[in-house]
Amino acid sequence: MMDMTIITISTKVNNVVTRLLKKYDLLLALYNNFKRTSEKIFMDSSLEQMRSEQDASLFIRGTWITFLLVKGKVLQMEDDLVISLQLLICVLEHFIKLTPPVLLNEPYKTVVIELTTSVSHRTSRRSQNRNARISKATETDTRVLETLCKENECNLEEVININSTSVLPILDSLGILTSLEDSKGEDLSKQYEELYLKTKDFDARLFLDNDKTVLPVKMEWSELERTPRKSNSQEKNVLIPPQTPVRAAMDVIQQLKMTLHSASDRPSETLISYFNNCTVNPTEDIIKRVEYLGNVFKEKFAEALGMECAEIGYQRFNLAKRLYFRVMESMLKSEEKRLSVQNFSKLLNIDTFHTSLLGCSVEVVMATYGSSGSILQTGTTHAETNLSFPWILHIFKLKAFDFYKVIESFIKVEPCLTREMVKHLEGCEHRIMESLAWQTDSPIFELIKQSREQEGQTEQPEPTSSFSLPLQHSHTAADLYLSPVRSPRKQGPVAVRVNSTPCAENQAVATVQALHPPKQQKSTSLSLFFKKVYRLAYLRLNALCSLLLPGNTELEQVIWTLFQYTLQNEYELMKDRHLDQIMMCAMYGICKVKNIDLRFKTIVTFYKDLPNTSQETFKHVLIRDGKYDSIIVFYNQVFMQKLKTNILQYASPRPPTLSPIPHIPQSPYKFPSSPMRVPGGNNIYISPMRSPYKPSEGPLSPTKMTPRSKILVSIGETFGAPEKFLKINQMVSSSERLLKRGGETSNPPKPLKRLRFDMDGQDEADGSKPIPGDLKFMHHKLVEMTSLRTRMQEQKQKDGSGTPVKEEN
């Protein structure tokens, strides 16, 4: 049988398929959003519509096909969800204004009637430019756009801008700026067909025809979660549809904008104070640098997406600029508290520090807008867009090693980063450690060279003796950018005669320095980098061994020893290569000398099951002088030639000393697990508070709360009205009476559920008669807790009497 695994597919074909899959996911999400929105805008069936000569389907179909044309003309990179949604809103707004009011639902119907009436009054019957005047009037009226933007949580200013600069000129060129006729609809379809044949991907018009080849399997409504409404037993359970990809992306963007709403795109008074305290005031350089990089970003953004998107690039950079100044201020406040100093002249005058900090801010904004890449992901292969990391490194001409220095501190001082964004930045850090920091022009090789020269060949960037020690995360960006910070070894005292002259003293000092030159300070940034690299390397190796060599911890440590030795002593092998390439070669080499039948084909097959991997890693490996080949060729011609003597030692009776396993701490970027049990508590759990509302709607009002959420008390917030505590007291005392009565009955206790204080509507009704008001939920839970206590006491009595108890399976 032919092996049809992905290893047989060329890289070019795999990239094309991946890109096509991502484009399909994006168009599917947009079409579903368009379909839901259209159902709210256009009337489904009514007496007026049946009497009308036109059908809403003409306008719905024309809207979607026009959107596809506009998207193809505006966007060079077609997988930007946010800009695509904004284009769809613009086209939809235009077609709403062309639709007869009889086919529209409110509030669109009233707006179109008012707009048409207003234009009719201002236009002379004999006017030859009536269509032009109508077009001008409809363009300036933004009420429909405001409604659509509110419905889709889009920024109105951005939508108005892209509408005037990009959409309206294209609609004018298509000849549908003032009307839509049947012939125009057919012409639009023909124009799109030409675009479809040119791109050679798939025909997005099939969505309109409900073609099974493009529509996914529909989820049954019965599978959706139901929320019990306990306040009114006569109400039917409300079906909650899952959050759509478009809505999820808009919520993330809205959260970022709310975080930066109060931030300024200029240095705050606090930052100005820090700048003024510097020996060399960096204010002017900082402003000039931000302005220059802003122009670079705007230009490169437009080149990647299309010149019509230049203004959108400026708006996104403005958000990043606000985040840049906000994080810088937080960093300096943290450093002032830690070091008790206010003069940060040396740090604030380092160009790479500012460029890296601004680059990280841009990456957060770009990843937030591009979060649809993960939201829409349906396969296991990660498809990068043109603007994905490390795009920002290229346009800002940043070295990956310099960018790495700011990531951990950035995350620590910015508490409003979402969990997904923290994971994204951690992924950027991992990519730097895996490959980006090992490129030919990386400063890391010069740092390693300096470290070896100052300490001798026996001194390594990070000795193996430190592997068992926990990784300290106390270093800040200032430490790493001002590195080296370690003090040099103290020199012995210089003996100088009391009556010696200054010249003699200088000569004596020079003689001692010649014999014992002062040691250069050791790089903290290099040491910390290698600590993280070793820990990441072992985690990758451990994951691969768990798939290929499960339970063989001894062999895993032997492989790790060779792996670590290569990174420490033959680090030149990492130049323009990937960490995983060295890992797979180390595994194959050790298994070879240990007579274990493990082929490279098997290794790469299981390697693909690891997260964040690419077949490029084992199919496109640098051999020498710009020549690339498979990992097997690299092993035979490069790796084995360098490490043959070392590898053969593991087959001898006296193999090399094994390297210790690195201490693997919890990532400093991970959030605490939820729920956590309260020590000493009676089966009580706590978990981080989750926001059950949309960021744009603000905090929950009493009218939005459920009976359960009304009685919750959130630690760290105001407790509210005293009636809440009166209800709790009444509930506790009434529950005691219920328990006494319940103890007299012989009904078996109901199974206990875990208490979750942060999830509304999780507990199902038990079928008993409801207790009126807000006390129902808490009554139910207290009865369950006491039932558990009663069962435990009964169990102890049985155990004491020697009655055997059968263990439940």
Side-chain angles (χ1 to χ4, degrees), residues 109 432 713 719:
K109 181 177 182 179
I432 291 172
V713 176
F719 287 170

Side-chain angles (χ1 to χ4, degrees), residues 367-430:
T368 300
Y369 274 89
S371 59
S372 57
S374 58
I375 293 171
L376 301 175
Q377 192 67 34
T378 59
T380 57
T381 304
H382 173 68
E384 292 186 358
T385 66
N386 293 343
L387 306 183
S388 298
F389 185 81
W391 178 76
I392 192 63
L393 302 185
H394 301 324
I395 68 167
F396 281 1
K397 298 180 180 179
L398 257 175
K399 302 299 182 186
F401 183 70
D402 291 325
F403 185 84
Y404 140 84
K405 297 177 185 179
V406 82
I407 293 178
E408 185 172 329
S409 291
F410 192 103
I411 294 173
K412 288 180 179 178
V413 301
E414 182 45 73
C416 293
L417 292 177
T418 63
R419 181 189 298 259
E420 290 73 20
M421 196 50 53
V422 170
K423 289 182 178 180
H424 172 75
L425 290 179
E426 185 180 18
C428 294
E429 185 183 58
H430 285 178

Side-chain angles (χ1 to χ4, degrees), residues 280-344:
V280 178
N281 195 313
T283 306
E284 185 177 352
D285 289 340
I286 289 175
I287 299 300
K288 287 183 178 179
R289 184 185 298 107
V290 170
E291 182 180 357
Y292 168 74
L293 293 176
N295 292 331
V296 170
F297 176 83
K298 183 177 178 180
E299 177 185 349
K300 298 298 182 182
F301 186 88
E303 288 179 4
L305 271 74
M307 296 309 298
E308 295 85 357
C309 301
E311 187 62 27
I312 297 177
Y314 174 78
Q315 293 168 354
R316 294 190 184 180
F317 184 80
N318 194 50
L319 281 176
K321 191 162 51 170
R322 293 182 180 187
L323 183 59
Y324 162 69
F325 287 122
R326 171 188 166 102
V327 173
M328 188 198 305
E329 182 176 329
S330 299
M331 280 186 175
L332 295 180
K333 286 180 179 179
S334 177
E335 289 297 296
E336 180 183 2
K337 183 178 180 181
R338 184 173 71 101
L339 303 174
S340 300
V341 296
Q342 292 183 334
N343 186 346
F344 300 102

Side-chain angles (χ1 to χ4, degrees), residues 576-693:
D576 292 329
R577 298 188 179 97
H578 195 285
L579 186 69
D580 291 348
Q581 294 167 354
I582 308 299
M583 173 186 70
M584 288 185 279
C585 288
M587 173 175 283
Y588 180 80
I590 292 300
C591 290
K592 195 77 172 176
V593 298
K594 294 289 186 180
N595 297 322
I596 296 176
D597 185 18
L598 184 63
R599 301 185 179 184
F600 252 126
K601 184 177 181 180
T602 306
I603 294 176
V604 299
T605 300
F606 281 85
Y607 170 77
K608 291 180 300 193
D609 293 334
L610 298 181
N612 303 318
T613 58
S614 170
Q615 63 173 341
E616 283 285 296
T617 305
F618 54 83
K619 298 185 72 173
H620 193 71
V621 188
L622 176 64
I623 307 302
R624 62 176 61 87
D625 300 328
K627 179 184 176 183
Y628 290 82
D629 212 314
S630 69
I631 192 169
I632 300 176
V633 177
F634 167 71
Y635 176 85
N636 291 327
Q637 297 185 10
V638 181
F639 188 86
M640 188 61 180
Q641 303 304 318
K642 276 276 188 181
L643 294 159
K644 182 176 182 179
T645 303
N646 186 270
I647 293 175
L648 293 177
Q649 290 179 1
Y650 293 96
S652 65
R654 301 181 63 181
T657 304
L658 300 181
S659 298
I661 300 299
H663 180 269
I664 307 298
Q666 182 180 3
S667 169
Y669 313 131
K670 291 291 190 292
F671 292 86
S673 58
S674 172
M676 299 176 62
R677 184 166 184 165
V678 178
N682 187 8
N683 203 28
I684 297 178
Y685 293 79
I686 62 173
S687 59
M689 182 178 179
R690 296 184 177 90
S691 301
Y693 55 87

Side-chain angles (χ1 to χ4, degrees), residues 175-194:
I176 56 174
L177 201 56
T178 58
S179 64
L180 178 68
E181 303 172 355
D182 292 342
S183 58
K184 280 292 181 184
E186 296 176 0
D187 184 55
L188 290 174
S189 186
K190 290 180 180 179
Q191 290 189 50
Y192 174 73
E193 187 159 355
E194 294 177 2

